[in-house]
Amino acid sequence: MELRQLLRVADPLVERDQDLRRWQREFVDAVPIARVEPRQPHTVVGVVKRIRVDPGRCVEVTIEDGSGELTAAWPGRSTLRGVELGSALRLTGTVADDGGGRRRMRTPAWSPVSEPYA
């Protein structure tokens, strides 16, 4: 095995992304985040990577699925009960591209799902 292949296999981030992609495929109705199309409704699943709260104004949650990241925003909220870093979510809504290549959903339907390492 070449050194380059050994380094790729030993990289924990690569392994984590592979694990997340395998887990994401268990949800037959979900599309990998990297394949979502702007202005189209999609269902995605991912693990919560970041939560940003602007009290009384908006909650933003960024999820990742091993293929990419997507940020969902809920204006007018200051909490999402049960959502925490590392938890897993299913989001359904219309995807937007913010111009910088970042994928976003505004006020998607959401539900918790089983976590990949549970």
Side-chain angles (χ1 to χ4, degrees):
M1 195 182 261
E2 290 182 8
L3 178 60
R4 193 172 2 176
Q5 290 173 320
L6 285 172
L7 290 174
R8 261 187 285 166
V9 171
D11 186 347
L13 292 177
V14 170
E15 288 181 28
R16 182 173 185 276
D17 285 350
Q18 290 171 346
D19 288 346
L20 286 174
R21 285 192 298 272
R22 274 192 294 277
W23 167 77
Q24 185 276 332
R25 287 191 295 266
E26 293 176 15
F27 299 88
V28 295
D29 64 331
V31 175
I33 292 172
R35 292 190 21 220
V36 298
E37 304 268 335
R39 299 187 191 128
Q40 299 295 317
H42 290 286
T43 296
V44 296
V45 295
V47 174
V48 176
K49 179 179 181 176
R50 185 172 32 256
I51 300 172
R52 183 178 164 275
V53 179
D54 189 355
R57 301 202 62 210
C58 187
V59 173
E60 290 185 352
V61 175
T62 301
I63 63 168
E64 62 181 341
D65 70 353
S67 74
E69 294 182 4
L70 181 138
T71 300
W74 290 271
R77 302 217 35 186
S78 52
T79 64
L80 287 176
R81 181 169 290 174
V83 175
E84 55 190 45
L85 293 176
S87 63
L89 294 177
R90 175 191 316 268
L91 303 174
T92 301
T94 301
V95 176
D97 186 331
D98 71 356
R102 291 182 297 269
R103 296 162 184 91
R104 299 182 65 82
M105 281 185 182
R106 186 174 171 96
T107 320
W110 67 279
S111 62
V113 295
S114 63
E115 298 173 18
Y117 301 107

